[in-house]
């Protein structure tokens, strides 16, 4: 009799556990569905927001008039080939600002901080590629100059890094930097911006497990326990990543260009590692956004960022899509000045932002 009762109790316990497991399973499924739906909503909202920022206007390149039948406004002829601007392309200005603190408003109109690193990130939905254009911080360009009270003084040819300083260190500085870079690139449409204080670098680096690099040149700062030599194979820790990206020997001519090469290397490797991690952990993009939010000023909100990050997983990015501005560095009265090769810049804009028009399209 006792055996029978024991068997019945066991069966009841099994049924109870089965019910609990089913309930837990249903809850988990609901949670997963909720996350997927929430992610989908964020992505949809982000896509809508990003598309609104795409003007469809083309850079103001040398206009070409033609009486050819089927010729369209906005087409250009370059080296015998006809090109059309890719109106679906998405371009973002990403800046590294020489400040370690969380973002805060500048005390006056001259303390916005220099943009020590400037990159154009370009997403092309036509061929599913991401291109990165490194903008030389010392590129001589038209800069909007203001006094400390914010009164506009006019446009002067200065190092483009200075444009961010003429502002509040927040949105105004970023918007003025976007305008300056756009001018330099023949009024290139820019869909958004992100200015990240250098203090965010250790957290970004460690969030992807450390960035692995072959050291490009000696980066030695004994006071910060930093001793990396050219050719070393290392996985950068937080503080190492900081100095690898930010440090430069100001006593060496053209040291900013040497640092730019390190920044390019770090960025490409970081993107690759973040992309690999996102395959197994799709939420890493949101985690990264939240990690650096206190160090960042951007007009790309979490919905837009979610869309861009999920979209980028299906895009290709390799060293062939990494571009550097061509030109010459000269010593000015006090600081280095980089003079852009206009022909090379023109070709770069054609290569990245335009597409060949096939002969059958001209009717």
């Amino acid at each position: 009799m006792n055996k029978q009762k024991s068997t019945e109790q066991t069966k009841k316990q099994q049924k109870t556990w089965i019910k609990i497991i089913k309930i837990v399973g249903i809850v988990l499924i609901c949670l997963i569905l909720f996350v997927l739906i929430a992610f989908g909503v964020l992505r949809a909202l982000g896509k809508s927001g990003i598309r609104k920022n795409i003007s469809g206007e083309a850079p103001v390149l040398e206009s070409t008039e033609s009486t050819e039948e089927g010729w369209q406004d906005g087409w250009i002829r370059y080296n015998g080939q006809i090109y059309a601007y890719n109106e679906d392309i998405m371009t973002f200005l990403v800046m590294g600002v020489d400040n370690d603190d969380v973002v805060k408003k500048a005390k006056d109109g001259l303390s916005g901080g220099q943009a020590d690193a400037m990159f154009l990130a370009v997403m092309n939905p036509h061929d599913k590629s991401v291109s990165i254009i490194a903008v030389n911080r010392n590129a001589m360009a038209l800069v909007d100059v203001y006094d400390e009270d914010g009164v506009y003084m006019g446009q002067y040819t200065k190092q483009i890094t200075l444009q961010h300083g003429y502002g509040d260190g927040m949105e105004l500085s970023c918007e003025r930097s976007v305008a300056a870079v756009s001018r330099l690139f023949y009024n290139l449409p820019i869909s958004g911006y992100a200015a990240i204080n250098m203090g965010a670098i250790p957290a970004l680096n460690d969030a992807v497990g450390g960035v692995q690099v072959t050291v490009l040149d000696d980066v030695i700062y004994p006071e910060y326990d930093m001793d990396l030599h050219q050719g070393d194979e290392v996985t950068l820790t937080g503080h190492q990543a900081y100095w690898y990206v930010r440090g430069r020997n100001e006593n060496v001519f053209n040291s900013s260009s040497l640092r730019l090469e390190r920044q390019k290397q770090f960025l490409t490797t970081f993107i690759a590692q973040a992309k690999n991690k996102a395959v197994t952990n799709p939420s890493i993009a949101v985690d990264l956004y939240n990690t650096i939010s206190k160090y960042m000023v951007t007009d790309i909100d979490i919905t837009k960022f979610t869309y861009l990050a999920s979209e980028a997983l299906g895009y290709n990015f390799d060293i062939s899509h990494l571009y550097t501005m061509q030109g010459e560095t000269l010593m000015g009265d006090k600081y280095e000045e980089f003079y852009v090769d206009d022909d090379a810049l023109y070709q770069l804009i054609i290569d990245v932002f335009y597409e060949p028009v096939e002969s059958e399209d001209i009717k």
Side-chain angles (χ1 to χ4, degrees):
M1 194 71 178
N2 289 337
K3 186 176 181 181
Q4 185 178 354
K5 282 184 179 180
S6 177
T7 303
E8 287 176 357
Q9 285 177 346
T10 301
K11 287 181 178 179
K12 284 181 181 179
Q13 288 175 347
Q14 287 176 341
K15 287 180 180 179
T16 301
W17 276 111
I18 289 171
K19 285 181 181 179
I20 292 172
I21 290 169
K22 284 182 177 178
I23 292 169
V24 171
I26 291 169
V27 171
L28 286 174
I29 290 171
C30 289
L31 285 173
I32 291 169
L33 286 173
F34 175 78
V35 171
L36 290 174
I37 290 169
F39 184 81
V41 170
L42 283 175
R43 191 178 187 282
L45 289 172
K47 181 178 182 179
S48 173
I50 287 293
R51 300 313 298 180
K52 285 179 183 176
N53 283 0
I54 299 177
S55 66
E57 297 178 359
V60 185
L61 297 185
E62 213 172 276
S63 60
T64 305
E65 295 182 4
S66 177
T67 57
E68 292 178 60
E69 187 177 353
W71 186 270
Q72 296 183 20
D73 289 339
W75 284 5
I76 62 170
R77 192 189 303 275
Y78 185 71
N79 288 340
Q81 172 68 54
I82 298 172
Y83 294 91
Y85 176 66
N86 180 351
E87 295 184 354
D88 294 320
I89 213 160
M90 296 175 285
T91 305
F92 305 92
L93 177 62
V94 181
M95 296 169 281
V97 181
D98 65 344
N99 195 327
D100 296 339
D101 299 325
V102 296
V103 292
K104 55 187 176 183
K105 195 167 184 178
K107 61 184 179 181
D108 56 45
L110 299 175
S111 305
Q114 296 182 17
D116 267 356
M118 305 180 81
F119 295 91
L120 285 173
V122 186
M123 296 180 68
N124 185 351
H126 290 183
D127 63 5
K128 298 291 184 182
S129 69
V130 175
S131 297
I132 303 290
I133 301 173
V135 181
N136 193 303
R137 71 184 296 275
N138 291 325
M140 302 303 286
L142 287 177
V143 170
D144 291 313
V145 175
Y146 298 79
D147 68 13
E148 61 183 13
D149 296 320
V151 177
Y152 182 61
M153 306 298 290
Q155 285 187 347
Y156 296 86
T157 300
K158 293 175 174 287
Q159 291 91 340
I160 200 165
T161 181
L162 299 175
Q163 183 64 87
H164 190 274
Y166 292 108
D168 58 358
M170 305 286 283
E171 289 81 4
L172 193 58
S173 285
C174 291
E175 290 163 4
R176 289 173 178 171
S177 294
V178 166
V181 173
S182 174
R183 274 196 303 269
L184 181 60
F185 281 76
Y186 294 83
N187 292 327
L188 173 74
I190 296 176
S191 308
Y193 63 78
I196 305 169
N197 286 4
M198 292 295 189
I201 293 171
L204 282 171
N205 177 82
D206 294 348
V208 297
V211 173
Q212 300 171 2
V213 298
T214 301
V215 178
L216 296 181
D217 62 275
D218 294 350
V219 185
I220 303 170
Y221 298 99
E223 64 273 31
Y224 301 115
D225 193 26
M226 186 71 174
D227 188 27
L228 298 182
H229 298 264
Q230 184 178 12
D232 289 349
E233 300 276 350
V234 298
T235 298
L236 298 172
T237 60
H239 85 283
Q240 287 179 324
Y242 175 87
W243 289 111
Y244 193 76
V245 169
R246 187 172 185 183
R248 71 184 179 101
N249 187 347
E250 296 183 6
N251 296 319
V252 175
F253 179 70
N254 204 22
S255 61
S256 62
S257 292
L258 295 174
R259 179 177 61 181
L260 180 59
E261 291 303 311
R262 280 187 263 121
Q263 291 171 345
K264 284 162 48 184
Q265 179 198 38
F266 180 88
L267 183 62
T268 53
T269 309
F270 174 83
I271 290 172
Q273 290 182 209
K275 186 175 178 181
N276 288 337
K277 280 191 171 289
V279 172
T280 55
N281 178 19
S283 68
I284 190 172
V286 176
D287 293 342
L288 287 172
Y289 186 95
N290 291 330
T291 296
I292 64 173
S293 58
K294 64 181 179 180
Y295 295 99
M296 177 171 64
V297 177
T298 182
D299 62 350
I300 304 169
D301 63 23
I302 191 65
T303 61
K304 295 175 184 175
F305 190 81
T306 301
Y307 165 70
L308 292 170
S310 61
E311 197 63 8
L313 286 177
Y315 280 50
N316 297 315
F317 174 70
D318 56 44
I319 197 68
S320 67
H321 291 111
L322 181 59
Y323 300 88
T324 302
M325 299 175 71
Q326 302 300 305
E328 183 181 13
T329 298
L330 301 174
M331 194 64 207
D333 292 337
K334 202 171 180 183
Y335 301 106
E336 293 174 7
E337 301 173 350
F338 179 81
Y339 290 89
V340 178
D341 183 323
D342 291 330
D343 291 337
L345 178 60
Y346 199 94
Q347 181 68 63
L348 172 61
I349 293 172
I350 295 288
D351 291 341
V352 176
F353 300 98
Y354 280 75
E355 297 174 322
V357 175
E358 304 301 332
S359 55
E360 58 265 24
D361 294 329
I362 306 174
K363 298 177 182 178

